[in-house]
Amino acid sequence: MAKALLLVAALLVAGPLAGQDARARFSQHLGAVYAARTLSVIEAGVRDGLPRGLLIDKAMEGVAKRMAPEVVLAAVNTFADELRAAVAVVGPGAEPIALEKAADALRRGVARGLLTTLGRDRPDDFAIVVVSLEELLDAGVELGPAEELVRYALSEELDSDAVLRLPASVKLLVRECGGGQPADCWSRAAVRECARALPARPCPTEALAAAARSAAERFLMAGSVP
């Protein structure tokens, strides 16, 4: 027990939790044994090149939510494995935010090949592009059409602002054509939206229409309102 307490104290002082309140919350909530086990997982991740701050934040998230010590340990262990998978996709030199977003995307089933291409071709705005992809999924777009829309953005080298506008464009098309409009409504609306949102850029009219249709179909099946 004394050895576990010494390990907790040493690691907390060395890391981002170097504050009396944070150390106290961590140790008191997890107890010496689980705190030591959790920090051992964190240190193993750091040795593998994972950002210490992300792992510490995951542990403190569990502490703040007053999760059971064994749940906090399991969450940190799972997150470390997800970050290792993310490193394998985007490379060990990626920024912590890029690793975190890559881990999020992999968790949601995004293709590893797409993420690898993003990490190689768009390292500076990788996280922004993934956020746009996640917003497309949250808007109801199925994974395949959402990935296709992002691939188009890559192929045409759309900038970050243009990529970030894609989810809003999809939502607009769903509102306009998702209520029993003629079949050609999607293509006509996509052309108009491209002229409005991306007037000076190549526009993915077909991919945009397909993404919006997939979202509308999911909303229809769920019986919900877009």
Side-chain angles (χ1 to χ4, degrees):
M1 183 68 70
K3 183 178 180 181
L5 286 170
L6 287 173
L7 175 61
V8 172
L11 293 180
L12 289 181
V13 168
L17 284 180
Q20 187 62 40
D21 291 341
R23 290 200 301 274
R25 289 200 309 273
F26 195 90
S27 298
Q28 289 173 4
H29 180 71
L30 296 183
V33 173
Y34 273 103
R37 289 178 180 174
T38 300
L39 287 163
S40 179
V41 170
I42 291 171
E43 288 307 299
V46 171
R47 288 194 296 273
D48 289 340
L50 306 183
R52 183 192 302 271
L54 289 182
L55 296 168
I56 289 286
D57 287 347
K58 175 60 70 173
M60 288 303 294
E61 178 185 344
V63 170
K65 292 179 178 178
R66 303 196 66 79
M67 294 177 177
E70 62 271 20
V71 175
V72 175
L73 173 61
V76 174
N77 198 32
T78 297
F79 187 51
D81 287 341
E82 290 173 344
L83 289 177
R84 289 185 180 94
V87 169
V89 169
V90 298
E95 294 293 325
I97 184 60
L99 285 177
E100 187 172 19
K101 296 314 296 180
D104 291 344
L106 288 170
R107 194 182 308 120
R108 299 187 71 160
V110 175
R112 295 173 65 91
L114 175 57
L115 294 172
T116 300
T117 301
L118 271 174
R120 182 190 67 230
D121 297 344
R122 303 288 289 261
D124 293 337
D125 62 351
F126 176 90
I128 292 174
V129 177
V130 173
V131 166
S132 182
L133 176 55
E134 289 177 333
E135 289 183 356
L136 288 169
L137 298 175
D138 292 341
V141 180
E142 293 181 351
L143 184 58
E147 290 180 343
E148 188 61 32
L149 199 51
V150 170
R151 286 192 178 94
Y152 182 95
L154 289 177
S155 67
E156 295 297 337
E157 299 182 352
L158 297 185
D159 61 29
S160 299
D161 289 340
V163 174
L164 284 174
R165 283 199 290 271
L166 293 175
S169 294
V170 164
K171 293 176 184 177
L172 187 148
L173 264 66
V174 171
R175 289 195 296 271
E176 183 171 341
C177 299
Q181 298 298 316
D184 65 347
C185 178
W186 300 103
S187 57
R188 289 187 284 105
V191 170
R192 287 197 303 272
E193 178 59 12
C194 280
R196 183 195 70 83
L198 303 169
R201 300 176 176 87
C203 190
T205 51
E206 293 184 9
L208 184 62
R213 279 199 306 271
S214 78
E217 288 169 2
R218 292 184 71 178
F219 283 125
L220 183 63
M221 290 176 63
S224 60
V225 179

